[in-house]
Amino acid sequence: MSPKIGFWSVFALVTGSQIGSGVFMLPASLAPYGLFSLAGWLISGVGAIALALVFAGLCSRFPQTGGPHVYVQHAFGPAWGFFTGWTYWVISWVSTTAVVVVSISYLTPLIGHHAPGVYLALEIGLVVLITALNLKGVQAAGHAEFVLTILKFLPLLMIPLIALCGFDRHHFVMAPCASALPLSQILSQVTLLTLWGFIGLESATTPAGSVENPGKTIPRAIVIGTLCVAALYLINSVGIMGLIPGSQLVHSKAPYVDTVQIIFGGQWHLLIAVIASVACIGTLNAWMLASGQIALGLAEDHLMPSLFAKKNKYDAPFFALLTSCAGILPLLILTNNSSLSQQITAIIDFSVVAFLFVYLICVVAFLKVLKTQSASWLSWLYGILALIFCGWILYETPLKTLTIASLFTLSGLPVYGLWYRR
């Protein structure tokens, strides 16, 4: 039995799973909305903190390996638990694929431009390397995540703080295409954009069986980590959007590079390339760990074949990790084709909605648990707030996107019919 991880490793998993490529690209995506972009961060930040409190409450009551499916199973039974866990596991593959591609693409200023096959080889090599790290056990992956978090957290905090020295509120100007929209639509669009930055806040619940005192450690790490991430995102948006005029920022392909060149000049953009790659590698490591623990938890609860519960000498679920790795590799090959890459990007957008399905059912499970226990009014308050938040975003999502996102869940029907039901 390998040693268990403590608060700081879990904290790193919480922040590392959320802080990825989004922090580097969202300032440009939000530029057309002016000051409303800050409102989007506030709304999504409040919603994310409410969700963090919900998952903290669930984990304190059911500190078991696997995360979301555990809570749904306790509230609604094994069938609901299976489809929740299956959805969560499958979308973790798709999300991880995007992170891998961006991790390597950010290194282009350092390694130069090469044929697509070279990038594919580097992407596959990175996935194999991170899988090998996770095969060393949760402790090794957790310690690595802590180091990666430190490497990316400090620059992502210092650069926007320095940028505030050149802050100009007149740079927050709405683009004509955005100003013509009704207020409700503006708020929903900026909230959908900013919510991408918080996907993964619940991932630290998955390795509960490998955490010291998980009923207390994980809830504290989730809440404190999400608060830190929300503050970091807000500081970055204010700093960068206050330094670069919105009319220029909206056309920027690398907002952080432009910011550093304005502040320091020279070749400092190379440092940003490394920081961006490290940020994405941290997210990749956190999601790979979570992916293995999701399948492990499902197998331990007899919701998937027992083979996924097999562990090596480092107490790592080797078959679950190898299966996750094998699921990512075909998607990387598809993204190596430029035309298919756009299709995969669209699928990733749908996966965000699928994550919301998982969040919503977990919130409903939390409220059901509160009905059977003596709970404070505060628990009801943030539970209902999280329910309204998820419901509002899904209500504002086009029906086509909701339908396609539901396919992630429906893909579990063959497994449910051929194995689980039997």
Side-chain angles (χ1 to χ4, degrees):
M1 180 70 69
S2 65
K4 296 186 176 183
I5 58 176
F7 171 80
W8 288 110
S9 292
V10 179
F11 173 85
L13 291 174
V14 173
T15 55
S17 62
Q18 296 179 66
I19 302 174
S21 59
V23 68
F24 296 96
M25 300 307 300
L26 280 175
S29 301
L30 294 168
Y33 300 98
L35 287 172
F36 282 105
S37 61
L38 303 184
W41 279 119
L42 291 174
I43 296 172
S44 62
V46 170
I49 292 168
L51 286 169
L53 289 168
V54 166
F55 279 105
L58 287 167
C59 189
S60 65
R61 290 170 172 83
F62 312 110
Q64 299 170 232
T65 297
H69 90 269
V70 173
Y71 320 134
V72 176
Q73 182 180 13
H74 277 285
F76 303 113
W80 284 87
F82 167 80
F83 282 105
T84 299
W86 177 268
T87 303
Y88 191 46
W89 189 42
V90 171
I91 57 179
S92 70
W93 294 4
V94 181
S95 302
T96 301
T97 302
V99 174
V100 175
V101 173
V102 176
S103 299
I104 299 301
S105 65
Y106 269 127
L107 293 178
T108 300
L110 290 173
I111 64 177
H113 294 278
H114 298 281
V118 175
Y119 289 102
L120 177 61
L122 291 173
E123 290 164 4
I124 292 175
L126 178 60
V127 173
V128 171
L129 179 64
I130 296 299
T131 303
L133 171 63
N134 278 268
L135 287 172
K136 291 291 185 179
V138 171
Q139 188 183 43
H143 289 171
E145 190 64 31
F146 180 73
V147 174
L148 291 169
T149 298
I150 293 297
L151 290 176
K152 68 184 179 183
F153 214 97
L154 292 177
L156 289 175
L157 182 61
M158 295 303 299
I159 292 172
L161 287 176
I162 296 173
L164 288 174
C165 297
F167 180 85
D168 186 346
R169 64 182 181 86
H170 296 100
H171 290 170
F172 290 87
V173 179
M174 289 191 67
C177 59
S179 58
L181 299 173
L183 178 60
S184 61
Q185 192 170 351
I186 292 174
L187 291 177
S188 65
Q189 288 185 3
V190 294
T191 304
L192 282 170
L193 282 171
T194 52
L195 180 62
W196 295 350
F198 294 103
I199 293 296
L201 62 90
E202 77 300 326
S203 61
T205 64
T206 59
S210 300
V211 176
E212 297 175 358
N213 193 6
K216 292 184 177 180
T217 301
I218 295 176
R220 283 197 303 129
I222 290 176
V223 175
I224 297 174
T226 303
L227 283 169
C228 291
V229 170
L232 184 69
Y233 279 147
L234 186 60
I235 293 171
N236 273 268
S237 285
V238 172
I240 294 175
M241 297 176 72
L243 180 69
I244 304 175
S247 57
Q248 298 179 22
L249 187 60
V250 70
H251 299 294
S252 174
K253 295 183 178 180
Y256 252 82
V257 172
D258 295 340
T259 300
V260 171
Q261 287 183 334
I262 291 173
I263 297 174
F264 301 112
Q267 299 297 313
W268 283 92
H269 66 283
L270 298 177
L271 175 62
I272 297 303
V274 175
I275 294 171
S277 184
V278 167
C280 294
I281 292 172
T283 304
L284 170 62
N285 180 56
W287 271 109
M288 182 62 73
L289 185 152
S291 182
Q293 296 295 316
I294 294 166
L296 170 63
L298 286 167
E300 288 181 341
D301 288 341
H302 308 291
L303 299 179
M304 285 184 66
S306 58
L307 188 61
F308 288 92
K310 299 290 185 180
K311 297 181 180 181
N312 61 13
K313 64 180 181 179
Y314 300 106
D315 206 35
F318 68 92
F319 187 78
L321 286 168
L322 292 176
T323 303
S324 296
C325 177
I328 295 169
L329 296 183
L331 295 176
L332 287 176
I333 296 173
L334 290 176
T335 59
N336 196 237
N337 183 299
S338 58
S339 60
L340 288 177
S341 178
Q342 297 176 351
Q343 298 176 22
I344 294 298
T345 300
I347 294 174
I348 293 169
D349 291 339
F350 299 133
S351 73
V352 175
V353 178
F355 270 109
L356 281 171
F357 292 160
V358 174
Y359 292 167
L360 182 61
I361 190 64
C362 286
V363 172
V364 175
F366 177 70
L367 294 176
K368 184 176 180 180
V369 169
L370 293 184
K371 287 183 63 178
T372 62
Q373 300 178 356
S374 178
S376 66
W377 65 269
L378 184 60
S379 298
W380 281 101
L381 177 62
Y382 61 71
I384 293 173
L385 180 61
L387 180 67
I388 294 172
F389 178 71
C390 292
W392 173 59
I393 294 179
L394 291 174
Y395 175 77
E396 294 287 349
T397 302
L399 181 60
K400 178 182 177 181
T401 304
L402 292 173
T403 303
I404 296 176
S406 67
L407 296 178
F408 288 104
T409 303
L410 296 176
S411 66
L413 284 174
V415 178
Y416 182 79
L418 298 177
W419 179 84
Y420 176 74
R421 290 285 292 178
R422 184 181 63 185

